[in-house]
Amino acid sequence: MAMTYSSNMTYSNNMTYSSNMTYSNNMTYSSNMTYSSNMTCSSNTPDDYADYYGIDTDIYQTCNNNNVKAFSQVFLPTLYSIVFIVGFIGNGLVLCVLVKYHNRSNVTDVCLFNLVLSDLLFLISLPFWGHYAAISEWTFGGFMCHVVTALYMLGFYGSIFFMILMTVDRYAVIVHAHNSLFSKHRSVRGGIAVAFFMWLLSLGASLPHIIFSKLKNESNGSTCKVEYPQGTAWESFSYIELNILGLIFPLAVMVFCYSRIIPILMAIKSQRKHKAVRLILVLIIIFFLFWTPYNIVIFLKFLHKLGYMSTCQWEQDLTMAMQWVETIAFSHCCLNPIIYAFVGQKFRNLVLKILKQWFPVCFGQCTTIVSEFSERRSSVYSRSSVISTTKIV
């Protein structure tokens, strides 16, 4: 079959287009094209439009974060690994003591058990994020993207909520020690019910992050990140939620409760009251120092989302700062066993007892030395109390 194609095309400034096409069996092609235009091509860059409209062009530039990315590939995996190892050992020891000696458990132990469990959930997610930062690609699939995000957020909020619960429990025991209502409901069964409620709160606070976490296949590899729907307030809500639940609310509870606890402890005539007060002050100061920088950067990112500080330099600085403050905040879970468990002499003896059973060669001599030191210190306390009583008499 032969074809004839003829096309007459005319271009004018009015931007009209006409095309006449006929087909025949001669297989000839003729094309007549006429352009009646000056055909002046002008390429308007964003800078030209910015000069015309008076707009800052940094907003429309694609920010180059290669330097920040190269830094995070080395920095984040290293520090995440350190936090994971130290935190897993410390929290693992506390968990073993609580499980092995569960017959001696009380409400405080129930709170401490769930605090350790939330820290462990949080720590389990760190190797995945460290691997993701090292190779800049998520290789674990879409299901694991949701699972790791769930572990991360549940551990994050669970750790904070159970710290609040332990603070309120100490407040109830010391300030309202003679209140029958508190003593009646302060049982192990009641502690388990409250702990279950705290896990539900943690899940509710984590749901937006878990639901909107997505696996995306991009040009430079797969990514796992939280992407909120465009035109909604979910992202702004998440920033505000982190600030309120991550710092403002727990710090307010700790300051209120411990401000009532400290005067009562100071009024008690005991040799160990100053140690208890110092421990309380250390709890508040450490929580403030470790979590405040993280929440400040979160608030700055919230302002960046609203359009303030929208230059590329600000974006790079916030991304770099987030890596530092995140690691500082995450390392707080390594200190929880030391602050809440190892400080107590009874708990410390149980830890050494377990270590002696597991590693008799390494910790046998250490346990003997610690027990001798504890006996000497208790005898010193008893002598000092006798001397002070004699002087008073």
Side-chain angles (χ1 to χ4, degrees), residues 204-276:
S206 306
L207 272 180
H209 302 268
I210 299 172
I211 293 173
F212 295 120
S213 61
K214 293 181 180 179
L215 177 69
K216 292 189 67 176
N217 295 319
E218 299 180 353
S219 58
N220 54 351
S222 300
T223 60
C224 173
K225 55 186 178 181
V226 179
E227 285 196 357
Y228 298 99
Q230 294 293 330
T232 63
W234 278 110
E235 187 172 1
S236 300
F237 171 79
S238 68
Y239 287 131
I240 297 173
E241 180 189 34
L242 283 171
N243 278 149
I244 294 177
L245 298 182
L247 180 68
I248 298 174
F249 180 67
L251 191 61
V253 172
M254 292 175 73
V255 170
F256 171 78
C257 292
Y258 289 132
S259 64
R260 300 287 303 276
I261 292 172
I262 290 176
I264 295 176
L265 291 179
M266 294 299 293
I268 297 174
K269 294 181 180 180
S270 173
Q271 293 290 334
R272 299 184 181 182
K273 67 178 181 181
H274 297 292
K275 182 180 178 181

Side-chain angles (χ1 to χ4, degrees), residues 5-11 17-22 30-34:
Y5 172 81
S6 64
S7 176
N8 298 320
M9 289 181 277
T10 304
Y11 291 86
Y17 173 84
S18 63
S19 175
N20 298 318
M21 291 180 282
T22 60
S30 63
S31 176
N32 297 321
M33 289 183 282
T34 304

Side-chain angles (χ1 to χ4, degrees), residues 322-337:
M322 179 56 74
Q323 297 180 16
W324 285 98
V325 298
E326 240 183 8
T327 308
I328 294 172
F330 293 172
S331 60
H332 186 260
C333 64
C334 302
L335 298 176
N336 281 339

Side-chain angles (χ1 to χ4, degrees), residues 20-41:
N20 298 318
M21 291 180 282
T22 60
Y23 296 88
S24 68
N25 292 328
N26 295 325
M27 283 299 291
T28 60
Y29 169 83
S30 63
S31 176
N32 297 321
M33 289 183 282
T34 304
Y35 294 86
S36 59
S37 175
N38 292 328
M39 296 298 291
T40 303
C41 296

Side-chain angles (χ1 to χ4, degrees), residues 92-148:
L93 283 174
V94 176
L95 188 66
C96 290
V97 171
L98 293 173
V99 171
K100 187 176 179 64
Y101 300 100
H102 65 278
N103 292 330
R104 308 178 188 181
S105 62
N106 49 34
V107 176
T108 303
D109 289 342
V110 172
C111 296
L112 184 60
F113 175 83
N114 285 276
L115 175 65
V116 169
L117 189 61
S118 61
D119 284 339
L120 288 174
L121 290 179
F122 179 82
L123 288 167
I124 290 172
S125 70
L126 291 186
F128 295 93
W129 298 127
H131 181 270
Y132 181 34
I135 67 173
S136 300
E137 185 177 0
W138 184 262
T139 59
F140 304 105
F143 176 74
M144 286 302 296
C145 178
H146 289 282
V147 170
V148 174

Side-chain angles (χ1 to χ4, degrees), residues 286-358:
I286 287 180
F287 182 83
F288 181 80
L289 291 178
F290 276 70
W291 284 104
T292 300
Y294 175 78
N295 282 274
I296 289 175
V297 175
I298 288 293
F299 182 71
L300 292 176
K301 288 177 72 69
F302 171 65
L303 295 179
H304 180 74
K305 169 66 179 175
L306 295 180
Y308 302 98
M309 304 175 299
S310 55
T311 61
C312 285
Q313 185 62 42
W314 266 107
E315 183 176 342
Q316 293 173 359
D317 292 342
L318 287 176
T319 305
M320 183 70 74
M322 179 56 74
Q323 297 180 16
W324 285 98
V325 298
E326 240 183 8
T327 308
I328 294 172
F330 293 172
S331 60
H332 186 260
C333 64
C334 302
L335 298 176
N336 281 339
I338 300 173
I339 296 173
Y340 291 98
F342 295 156
V343 172
Q345 181 180 347
K346 177 183 175 182
F347 202 95
R348 192 166 58 244
N349 291 335
L350 292 177
V351 171
L352 291 174
K353 185 177 180 180
I354 287 182
L355 290 176
K356 184 180 178 181
Q357 293 175 358
W358 291 350

